Amino acid sequence: MRPKCGRAQAWRTALIVPAELEKIAREREERMLALQSLVTDASEVLPLIKSGQNPSPNVCVGRAKRNDIIITDPAISSLHASFEGQGDAFVLIDHNSSNGTFVNCRRLGEGERVHLVSGDCVRFGRRVYYFLTAERLLLFLELRIVRPPAG
């Protein structure tokens, strides 16, 4: 005997206007930052946001205070690398760093550009990071790869 199936699901599509997309992106970013306190003590969420004093349109990473992401480690160059946004995608660019920029264990050449995919392992000098899209980060948090909130 065949089991009874529930009623068929109806799916609708809707057109999302650019203003709504921006609002959705802002809300997603706010959710990510609000979840920062839930990530394990050894983990840190570094959103790729242009916030430094570097004149570059890219999100710059390095030891100098003018960078958007500052990593205080002597193995990191003053301007180590940068992330260039290309729509929803990001490209990582090495800036002749002394101790190298690596993606998935492969050292980038000076000025080399690599398109990043969610889950890529990125290393600046001795510091290891994982490139995660907002959706992947939220999934990690939902799968409880986190510590419980203090309370």
Side-chain angles (χ1 to χ4, degrees):
M1 179 175 230
R2 280 178 69 177
K4 291 185 179 182
C5 295
R7 216 169 47 182
Q9 293 285 332
W11 295 89
R12 294 185 324 192
T13 59
L15 182 63
I16 299 177
V17 296
E20 288 180 50
L21 287 174
E22 289 176 21
K23 180 183 176 201
I24 291 168
R26 278 194 311 277
E27 288 172 352
R28 181 184 304 135
E29 184 179 305
E30 288 170 7
R31 284 195 317 270
M32 282 177 46
L33 293 174
L35 293 169
Q36 171 69 48
S37 63
L38 301 177
V39 179
T40 60
D41 292 335
S43 301
E44 184 179 7
V45 175
L46 301 172
L48 296 178
I49 299 172
K50 185 76 185 139
S51 62
Q53 300 167 354
N54 196 308
S56 169
N58 299 339
V59 176
C60 297
V61 178
R63 201 176 60 242
K65 292 182 181 186
R66 69 181 176 269
N67 291 303
D68 303 297
I69 298 174
I70 301 166
I71 305 171
T72 52
D73 182 327
I76 304 298
S77 299
S78 294
L79 174 58
H80 198 94
S82 65
F83 292 92
E84 178 183 306
Q86 294 184 345
D88 289 340
F90 279 95
V91 172
L92 178 63
I93 306 161
D94 180 71
H95 289 282
N96 196 23
S97 57
S98 300
N99 294 306
T101 300
F102 298 78
V103 175
N104 299 326
C105 298
R106 187 179 70 76
R107 186 176 183 151
L108 305 185
E110 178 184 347
E112 184 177 352
R113 305 163 61 84
V114 172
H115 289 270
L116 295 175
V117 177
S118 192
D120 279 347
C121 178
V122 177
R123 182 163 61 98
F124 304 117
R126 297 177 296 199
R127 301 291 180 114
V128 176
Y129 300 89
Y130 289 91
F131 176 78
L132 300 174
T133 59
E135 291 80 13
R136 179 70 60 96
L137 175 63
L138 290 172
L139 176 64
F140 276 32
L141 294 169
E142 289 168 1
L143 291 174
R144 300 172 194 245
I145 306 174
V146 296
R147 64 180 169 85

